[in-house]
C-alpha cells in the first residue's frame, strides 16, 4: 500500500561552536527547501551568520556528530561548527535577565506649581534657507 505521507518540518535550535553568551538561533528544516545534509549545512551557515562555513553539527551535551537530516529531532538544541573540533562549554549559560520583582507603586504627589502649558519647539520656517548656487 503506497500513499503520500506529508513531511513535517523540524524546528531546530542552533548555537555557534564555543559561544556561551549567544542565544540559540531557531531554524526550521523543511523537506521541500532542504533536500540533503549539505544544503542544510549551507542554510545553517547563513542562518547563524557564522564567520566560516558550517561543516559539522554536534549535540551540545556530549559533542556527538550529527551525520544526516534523519538524526535531527524537532525541538532539540545543536551546536554548529566549522572544521574545528567541538568545544565543550555550557551552551545557553550566558547572562540571563532576572525576573522583575513586583513593586508596589504609590501614586506620585501632585506638583507644587502647575506646569506651564506653553510648548517651546523649533519651527522650520525660522531656519535659514540655503540659496541655490551655480557651479561653472
Amino acid at each position: 500500500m503506497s500513499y503520500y505521507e506529508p513531511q513535517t518540518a523540524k524546528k531546530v535550535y542552533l548555537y555557534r561552536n564555543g559561544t556561551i553568551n549567544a542565544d540559540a538561533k531557531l531554524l526550521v528544516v523543511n523537506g521541500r527547501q532542504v533536500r540533503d545534509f549539505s544544503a542544510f549545512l549551507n542554510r545553517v551557515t547563513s542562518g547563524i551568520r557564522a564567520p566560516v562555513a558550517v561543516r559539522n553539527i554536534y549535540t551540545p551535551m556530549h559533542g556527538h556528530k550529527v551525520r544526516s537530516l534523519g538524526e535531527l529531532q524537532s525541538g532539540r538544541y545543536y551546536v554548529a561548527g566549522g572544521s574545528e573540533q567541538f568545544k565543550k562549554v555550557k551552551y545557553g549559560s550566558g547572562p540571563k535577565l532576572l525576573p522583575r520583582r513586583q513593586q508596589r507603586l504609590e501614586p506620585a504627589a501632585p506638583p507644587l506649581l502647575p506646569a506651564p502649558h506653553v510648548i517651546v519647539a523649533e519651527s522650520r520656517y525660522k531656519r535659514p534657507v540655503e540659496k541655490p548656487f551655480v557651479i561653472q
Side-chain angles (χ1 to χ4, degrees), residues 20-40:
I20 54 175
N21 292 335
D23 290 330
K25 176 76 175 171
L26 172 66
L27 195 72
V28 178
V29 181
N30 187 354
R32 291 183 182 180
Q33 297 171 349
V34 179
R35 296 278 181 188
D36 56 349
F37 196 63
S38 63
F40 171 69

Side-chain angles (χ1 to χ4, degrees), residues 1-7:
M1 172 186 260
S2 94
Y3 57 91
Y4 176 74
E5 221 175 281
Q7 295 179 348

Side-chain angles (χ1 to χ4, degrees), residues 52-132:
V52 294
V54 172
R55 292 293 148 231
N56 296 311
I57 303 291
Y58 304 102
T59 59
M61 294 300 290
H62 303 291
H64 297 294
K65 273 191 178 181
V66 176
R67 300 189 189 277
S68 67
L69 285 175
E71 294 180 23
L72 293 174
Q73 296 178 2
S74 184
R76 296 287 175 108
Y77 289 84
Y78 294 97
V79 177
S83 59
E84 74 272 6
Q85 293 290 322
F86 172 72
K87 296 175 185 169
K88 190 170 184 176
V89 295
K90 194 172 182 182
Y91 291 98
S93 64
K96 302 287 183 190
L97 295 175
L98 298 175
R100 298 176 85 188
R101 293 192 312 190
Q102 294 189 2
Q103 299 174 355
R104 296 181 69 195
L105 298 176
E106 297 177 7
L112 300 176
L113 298 173
H117 295 288
V118 178
I119 298 174
V120 178
E122 293 183 21
S123 59
R124 288 186 173 184
Y125 69 89
K126 290 183 180 179
R127 291 184 189 160
V129 178
E130 294 181 17
K131 295 182 180 179

